[in-house]
Amino acid sequence: MNKSVDPKNVINKIKNLDAGKKLAELMSGMSKVDTRSKEAKENAYSMRDGSGNKIIYMLTEDMLKEATKTKKTIKTKWVELLVKQRLLKQLLSEAKRVLEDNKRFHDYGHATEVVLNVEKLLKEEGRVKYDIETLWASALLHDASNYQDEREGKDGAKIAEQVLLTVKDFPKDKIEGVKRLIESVSREPKKQDEVLLTTADEMSALSPLGLVRSMMISGSRGMKVKDALEWELNYIDKRFNKLRLKSAKELVKKDYEERRKYLTVCLLLYQE
């Protein structure tokens, strides 16, 4: 890192970004407070609203745990967090544009839910083993294709490559990794990052938004309500039981149980 970086300049740049004011307050105060203190945690807590802000909040929490009181370490984390937040802002903007015309109900809301699930899993599984930028881009663009057959993975990877070549702050040497991850969603994942991304995608099927999307898909296929409810109940059971990571099951267990109860109550109305 450039040792001539002035923390004041970094803070001024951060203020121009989404959630920047709170982030600037948090970072500027890190050298003055115990990073494990209630004050530090409350500053980070205030950044949680909004999908992009939630991701930065989770990342900041982890940085707070790693930070020491040495000014050198804190200055490094100022710059690191600034760069990651700027990149995330660019990726979210591109994903929103690309997914605006998605015809498979795999829209921007689904993409942001998957990237949030990626962050939750990273907190549980540990960030050291993974490349965050590659996972963020893959999660946000994994449904870029409108194909819903064997062409989906390769087509989505191609679209993602074209998009990322235009994203200023995305490292171009990581594009091949993104393409591999996106293609892995359409097949059995093998590597650790492929398992994590696929699991994050599967977790989204068990959320409230996942239920809405699934019922819309059933409606578009002309299914009757009762048939759609029965199909959905069977589907979420399979999804939950096949989650590859133990931490994922713990994270979505409450949503899964509530959703299962909701579907069961609805089906009772069809009994004679």
Side-chain angles (χ1 to χ4, degrees), residues 1 35 73 82 104 111 135 150 152 160 187 201 253 261:
M1 190 193 76
T35 55
T73 303
L82 166 65
R104 301 186 296 122
L135 280 168
E150 68 277 358
E152 180 186 349
R187 58 170 170 77
D201 189 26
K253 184 178 180 181
K261 181 179 179 181

Side-chain angles (χ1 to χ4, degrees), residues 204-221:
S204 70
L206 301 167
S207 71
L209 178 60
L211 174 60
V212 173
R213 290 175 48 245
S214 187
M215 295 305 288
M216 288 185 71
I217 291 171
S218 294
S220 71
R221 292 172 178 170

